[in-house]
Amino acid sequence: MTITITAFEHSPDGGRGLARDTRVRWALEEVGQPYEVRLVSFKAMKEPAHLAAHPFGQIPTYEDGDLVLFETGAIVFHIAQRYPGLLPDDANARARAITWMFAALSTIEPPVLEMANAKLLEGDRPWAAERMPLVQDRVRKPLGLLSNRLGGADWLDGEFSAGDLMMASVLLRIRASGILDEYANLAAYLARAEARPAYKRAFAAQLAVNKPGPP
Ligand code: GTB
């Protein structure tokens, strides 16, 4: 049975790889599993057929035979458990790698999303400029601590793992703000992640769908 994921028919990011199908593509590339992609429009995402797979009407979803998953944390975790390559064999190291997945999704991603929303959805509000420094500082606080923990290491805990994949996927979302560059080791960490052949394949695959066409 071929794995099928869903992705935007036209990603609003125009192929910058920021939509969350990229992290699922990346995980599948890391473990060497072929996959197919079903592209969905914003309208189709809210219709019963897609809502049956994703109760919140979003992308990505993951289908493998009878198994249907949503939420990238659950999907990447499933891929990492099911196929070798993204989690260490040692039980304690595995638990730590999983901990970093959760840290990416529940400690780093929320303030990162708040900052993105403050700019994209609230940027025209009269209070937006006054609020932005507060929102940015909420990103800087955990990033500074993450930077301290990473120190001079290549990855968060030994070999590259699903924890790094998830953390790098979240950090990608703030690169354009310039804040990541305040932490040289995190910027280098992200560059290392992007240099992985599996990431490059995942990025190229989403770009092939989303790159802006000729004017
Ligand atoms: N918690 C869920 C998960 O991790 O799977 C969140 C899924 C999610 O937010 N999906 C978004 C979606 O389907 C796409 S990735 N949105 C449509 C909707 O809710 O109606 C979020 C995203 C969208 C666009 C950009 N961008 O343009 O830069 C970046 C990220």
Side-chain angles (χ1 to χ4, degrees), residues 4-214:
T4 302
I5 68 167
T6 52
F8 280 134
E9 189 175 38
H10 301 292
S11 177
D13 76 352
R16 288 161 62 214
L18 301 177
R20 285 184 179 78
D21 57 291
T22 303
R23 56 181 74 163
V24 174
R25 293 172 185 269
W26 185 7
L28 288 166
E29 292 288 354
E30 289 282 354
V31 300
Q33 284 300 307
Y35 64 96
E36 290 176 357
V37 183
R38 193 169 61 250
L39 301 175
V40 285
S41 65
F42 275 93
K43 180 170 174 285
M45 260 182 254
K46 310 303 174 196
E47 289 172 353
H50 188 75
L51 285 169
H54 197 309
F56 306 114
Q58 296 184 313
I59 61 96
T61 57
Y62 173 101
E63 292 161 33
D64 186 9
D66 289 344
L67 178 67
V68 182
L69 298 174
F70 61 97
E71 285 295 336
T72 53
I75 296 170
V76 172
F77 185 41
H78 170 74
I79 294 167
Q81 296 265 50
R82 173 90 174 69
Y83 305 103
L86 276 171
L87 287 173
D89 290 335
D90 174 78
N92 286 356
R94 201 175 178 92
R96 289 195 302 273
I98 293 164
T99 300
W100 280 115
M101 288 185 66
F102 278 85
L105 294 174
S106 56
T107 298
I108 307 291
E109 193 163 56
V112 164
L113 288 184
E114 192 186 1
M115 188 172 77
N117 287 340
K119 187 173 171 206
L120 295 174
L121 306 180
E122 301 162 358
D124 58 352
R125 303 295 175 94
W127 37 261
E130 193 179 350
R131 181 166 179 264
M132 187 52 93
L134 303 176
V135 172
Q136 289 174 335
D137 280 346
R138 280 187 209 127
V139 172
R140 285 189 179 99
K141 191 173 168 195
L143 276 196
L145 295 167
L146 180 68
S147 167
N148 290 347
R149 170 54 79 100
L150 180 66
D154 277 357
W155 306 114
L156 288 165
D157 192 304
E159 296 295 305
F160 177 86
S161 76
D164 295 296
L165 184 152
M166 202 54 89
M167 190 63 79
S169 298
V170 171
L171 295 182
L172 277 167
R173 200 68 202 272
I174 43 172
R175 190 175 36 200
S177 74
I179 288 181
L180 199 66
D181 294 325
E182 296 171 20
Y183 308 92
N185 65 339
L186 292 184
Y189 169 77
L190 185 56
R192 252 188 314 279
E194 289 178 292
R196 293 180 69 79
Y199 176 80
K200 288 184 179 172
R201 288 193 295 275
F203 183 88
Q206 66 76 35
L207 182 62
V209 175
N210 293 308
K211 72 177 162 227

